[in-house]
């Protein structure tokens, strides 16, 4: 350990003045609180964004092919051609339709989004496995089945085995006529994604075709990829196969505004809470100024013994950086510990009113080490800048002035 660093460590470890010691402790605590708040807030935004993205992709797919007029001619053939594209894991026709669902205890019904899917897809998707359930829309008595989210089931006062009626509009000779059918609830799922848990019902694709009278034509093909990172490479090939008759989009484009807003919100949050770290550096400045005043005699002796003024400046730069490193390390440790505790025990969870706003029922606090590195670099850099003025002031002390009143 070089001489300036040894002296700085000694000043930090054993301050002789109680007031300086108290101010130094406050400066460290201020930095700890600021860094801890930054670590937790960044983990909150990262966890929320990643959890939302994961649930969006798990319940849907990376790429979507759809028709402007609402139906895809020769749907199975097009899905087979798309599935042959390198990098495509599956190309699954699905049916979407707004619907009204009623139950015996809820005669007015709830407006929902009906989605018809191939039950076999559940084998490759944990989210769809949870949605479809063990019974795969199959009722022991042979009745057609549907699956719905836990919040929707509570509104309708139904459980597995209950009967519901689904009503949808269908086109018949140019007019829109309602078409209804009775189903048995075969599964009540909870994905943690409020949109699915409160507004969606799922049924077998064949049953959806029969209800909507689509003659086997789907209105969407969902395309899952072997590697989601290859989205940009696969997308042009899907467009080429689909041709100009159909529109092709991906999950990023469909949710661009939402995720752009989340990125902006995370940046603003970093700036706002970063001000706590910035303000805490004023305490470091105060500590250094008081330490310089307290050590005037020692500084004068060092200079009179031939020490360069650059050495004096480095002593107090090291002192401030050590304060910054101590506060930053403690803040990161406490922040990471808080993130783990909140996520492990799901301390942040929402009721239906709040989940409807944030789309999810609980938020994991995901510590991303790149964020931690940026926070640490920011805190240490600010602490270093706080040392420049006091250290320059210490280097300008005259030996005669330093010992004049001693």
């Amino acid at each position: 350990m070089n001489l300036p660093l040894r002296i700085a460590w000694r000043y930090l470890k054993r301050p002789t003045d109680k007031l300086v010691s108290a101010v130094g402790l406050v400066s460290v605590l201020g930095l700890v609180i600021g860094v801890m708040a930054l670590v937790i807030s960044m983990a909150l935004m990262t966890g929320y964004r990643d959890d939302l993205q994961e649930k969006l992709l798990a319940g849907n797919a990376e790429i979507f092919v759809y028709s402007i007029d609402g139906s895809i001619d020769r749907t199975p053939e097009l899905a087979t051609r798309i599935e042959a594209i390198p990098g495509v894991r599956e190309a699954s026709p699905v049916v979407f339709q707004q619907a009204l669902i009623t139950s015996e205890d809820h005669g007015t019904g709830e407006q929902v989004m009906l989605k018809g899917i191939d039950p076999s897809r559940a084998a490759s998707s944990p989210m769809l496995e949870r949605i479809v359930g063990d019974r795969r829309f199959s009722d022991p008595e042979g009745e057609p089945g549907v699956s719905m989210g836990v919040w929707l089931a509570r509104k309708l006062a139904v459980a597995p085995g209950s009967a519901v009626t689904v009503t949808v509009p269908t086109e018949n000779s140019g007019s829109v006529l309602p078409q209804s059918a009775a189903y048995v609830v075969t599964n009540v799922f909870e994905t943690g994604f409020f949109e699915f848990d409160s507004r969606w019902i799922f049924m077998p694709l064949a049953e959806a075709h029969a209800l909507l009278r689509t003659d086997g034509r789907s209105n969407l093909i969902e395309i899952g990829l072997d590697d989601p990172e290859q989205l940009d490479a696969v997308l042009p090939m899907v467009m080429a196969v689909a041709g100009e008759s159909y529109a092709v989009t991906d999950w990023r484009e469909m949710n661009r505004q939402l995720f752009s807003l989340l990125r902006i919100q995370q940046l603003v949050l970093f700036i706002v809470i970063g001000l706590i770290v910035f303000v805490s550096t004023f305490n470091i400045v105060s500590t250094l100024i008081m330490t310089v005043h307290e050590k005037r005699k020692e500084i004068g002796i060092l200079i009179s013994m031939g020490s360069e003024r650059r050495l004096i400046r480095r002593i107090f730069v090291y002192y401030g950086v050590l304060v910054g490193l101590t506060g930053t390390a403690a803040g990161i440790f406490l922040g990471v510990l808080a993130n783990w505790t909140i996520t492990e025990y799901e301390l942040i969870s929402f009721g239906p009113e709040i989940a409807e706003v944030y789309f999810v029922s609980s938020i994991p606090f995901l510590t991303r080490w790149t964020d931690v590195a940026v926070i640490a670099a920011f805190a240490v850099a600010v602490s270093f800048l706080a040392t420049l003025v006091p250290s320059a002031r210490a280097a300008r002390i005259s030996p005669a002035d330093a010992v004049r009143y001693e």
Side-chain angles (χ1 to χ4, degrees), residues 17 48 114 119-120 170 227 252 318 327 339 341 345 354 359 370 381:
D17 188 278
Y48 177 58
L114 181 153
S120 63
T170 58
D227 182 5
R252 298 173 305 183
Y318 286 147
N339 292 338
T341 303
Y345 298 100
I354 305 299
F359 303 108
T370 52

Side-chain angles (χ1 to χ4, degrees), residues 125-141:
S125 171
M127 176 73 84
L128 289 180
E129 175 72 30
R130 195 179 307 174
I131 290 172
V132 173
D134 296 333
R135 296 168 66 177
R136 296 292 195 272
F137 304 120
S138 176
D139 180 66
E141 298 181 0

Side-chain angles (χ1 to χ4, degrees), residues 14 36 122 282 292:
R14 294 194 300 270
M36 181 179 174
F282 288 101
V292 168

Side-chain angles (χ1 to χ4, degrees), residues 15-34:
T16 56
D17 188 278
K18 291 184 178 180
L19 179 59
V20 174
S21 177
V23 174
L25 180 61
V26 169
S27 65
V28 173
L29 288 177
L31 195 57
V32 168
I33 293 172

Side-chain angles (χ1 to χ4, degrees), residues 13 49 108 120 194 377:
K13 189 169 62 173
R49 187 180 64 244
T108 57
S120 63
F194 187 78

Side-chain angles (χ1 to χ4, degrees), residues 72-84 93 216 221 241:
I72 299 176
D73 294 329
R74 298 187 299 279
T75 303
E77 291 85 346
L78 179 58
T80 301
R81 290 164 52 202
I82 293 174
E83 207 163 43
I221 296 177
V241 171

